Amino acid sequence: MTTYWTDQEYGARPRTIDVVDERVWNGLRSLITTGLDDGSFGYRFPAECPDGGAAFGCNWQAFGHMLQAEVRDIDWPLPEQLLPPTDVILDLLVFCASAVGQPIKESYHPYFRHDHLSWNREAGLERFLSDVNRIFARNGVAYELTPDGARRLLPEPLAEALRSMVFKTGDDETDRLLETARHRIASPKEDDRRDALEKLWDAFERIKTLEPGSDKRRQADALLDRAAVPGTGFRKMLGDEALALTRIGNTFRIRHSEVDQERLSSLEHVDYLFLRMFAFVRMVLKATGRGG
């Protein structure tokens, strides 16, 4: 992978941008067009030689038809002036990764003046992933294309906490909600990230009732008394934070959709609230021996 002087001198650019802009799109579109021209996508969509028995490149028409069938809202040919939504671009890249291979010249066909090709799937996929991820990295884009699809890159401290977190709350439904939230917050798709926040808030409400008893308020107080020494300033802060998080859940459209609730207008707001709630939940679970 190419190492640029600025990376060596100043370090890699932080990967914090979660929207593909026109500059990045133009680079990705050029990369895909080059793969169409040199036959890389002939691995899945081969153009057959008129004499039969061999392939010599990529069948653009077959590529385009299947692309539009599999990727919602994609324009074909790929637009130069209109910037597709980031979700659509990521789906396009996943589609291309499924079709790419490194073209290998097997023989020359003098009559049609083209080379008959075969494809090395592993080498072609590795090169395509490397090219896409270099474009993302150079532009600070917080996505990565892998052999299994596209994924969102989270800040490393959060990513490490999410990777290592184990849930042992004693309640299967709470564990399921936490596990779903852990996976979906890393998704590049907006709906998945909003759903992750909802699941985390649902888990928070259930965690309040994990201590013995039937009165939710007393159960929640008992939980926090186990997380911090009663009467201390930190215990008071935990109580204030639990109350603030409850109010946030009732004020904003996170768990419910009442008309008086405000929708979170930005994914930055979704991420912020997820981080805030996640830190609280993780600390309480660890302090009470329920994972974390």
Side-chain angles (χ1 to χ4, degrees):
M1 186 174 181
T2 301
T3 300
Y4 285 91
W5 183 85
T6 49
D7 288 341
Q8 295 176 330
E9 187 71 10
Y10 307 115
R13 184 175 177 180
R15 306 279 292 273
T16 59
I17 300 171
D18 59 7
V19 176
V20 174
D21 63 15
E22 186 176 0
R23 182 192 192 98
V24 174
W25 166 241
N26 286 335
L28 295 171
R29 184 174 52 79
S30 295
L31 178 65
I32 294 167
T33 300
T34 298
L36 289 165
D37 285 335
D38 68 18
S40 294
F41 299 116
Y43 169 75
R44 183 178 174 190
F45 302 102
E48 298 293 336
C49 176
D51 281 352
F56 69 93
C58 176
N59 185 328
W60 282 55
Q61 184 179 55
F63 180 96
H65 286 166
M66 190 61 73
L67 173 65
Q68 290 186 297
E70 292 189 17
V71 178
R72 291 182 300 174
D73 302 322
I74 192 69
D75 290 325
W76 180 256
L78 299 178
E80 294 187 31
Q81 305 300 326
L82 180 64
L83 176 65
T86 295
D87 286 356
V88 175
I89 293 172
L90 293 171
D91 281 348
L92 166 65
L93 294 174
V94 171
F95 175 87
C96 290
S98 75
V100 74
Q102 178 177 301
I104 300 171
K105 295 179 180 179
E106 298 289 355
S107 61
Y108 182 67
H109 192 162
Y111 183 80
F112 287 107
R113 287 191 267 183
H114 62 217
D115 293 296
H116 290 166
L117 304 175
S118 64
W119 285 267
N120 183 320
R121 165 62 174 164
E122 290 73 21
L125 177 60
E126 181 180 358
R127 175 62 183 272
F128 183 73
L129 297 180
S130 175
D131 288 343
V132 168
N133 290 328
R134 182 173 63 252
I135 292 172
F136 282 161
R138 291 291 297 166
N139 290 275
V141 177
Y143 298 112
E144 183 177 57
L145 191 63
T146 76
D148 299 319
R151 70 186 184 99
R152 178 177 172 236
L153 298 180
L154 298 170
E156 188 52 38
L158 174 61
E160 176 57 31
L162 288 171
R163 283 194 297 267
S164 62
M165 193 165 182
V166 177
F167 307 112
K168 298 181 294 183
T169 66
D171 178 71
D172 290 344
E173 179 62 13
T174 303
D175 290 347
R176 185 192 68 79
L177 290 167
L178 291 169
E179 189 68 19
T180 301
R182 180 166 74 98
H183 285 287
R184 291 189 181 174
I185 194 60
S187 170
K189 297 185 180 299
E190 177 177 348
D191 287 348
D192 286 346
R193 287 156 69 180
R194 290 184 182 276
D195 186 59
L197 186 64
E198 177 186 339
K199 296 297 188 292
L200 184 60
W201 236 266
D202 287 344
F204 167 66
E205 291 299 326
R206 294 183 69 89
I207 287 169
K208 294 178 185 178
T209 66
L210 292 178
E211 292 296 313
S214 57
D215 184 288
K216 187 174 182 179
R217 176 64 180 272
R218 291 182 179 179
Q219 288 173 291
D221 285 342
L223 181 76
L224 298 184
D225 285 345
R226 290 185 59 191
V229 177
T232 62
F234 193 81
R235 168 62 180 83
K236 180 179 183 305
M237 184 275 294
L238 284 183
D240 292 342
E241 179 68 351
L243 181 59
L245 291 170
T246 299
R247 287 173 176 166
I248 288 171
N250 292 332
T251 302
F252 295 95
R253 196 176 303 170
I254 296 175
R255 301 179 63 226
H256 308 290
S257 299
E258 282 81 358
V259 294
D260 60 338
Q261 289 180 315
E262 180 180 334
R263 186 178 189 272
L264 298 172
S265 60
S266 167
L267 285 177
E268 293 291 338
H269 301 168
V270 172
D271 286 350
Y272 165 74
L273 290 179
F274 187 94
L275 288 169
R276 181 173 172 179
M277 176 63 87
F278 178 79
F280 181 87
V281 167
R282 184 169 186 252
M283 189 281 302
V284 169
L285 291 182
K286 290 188 72 170
T288 59
R290 292 183 168 98

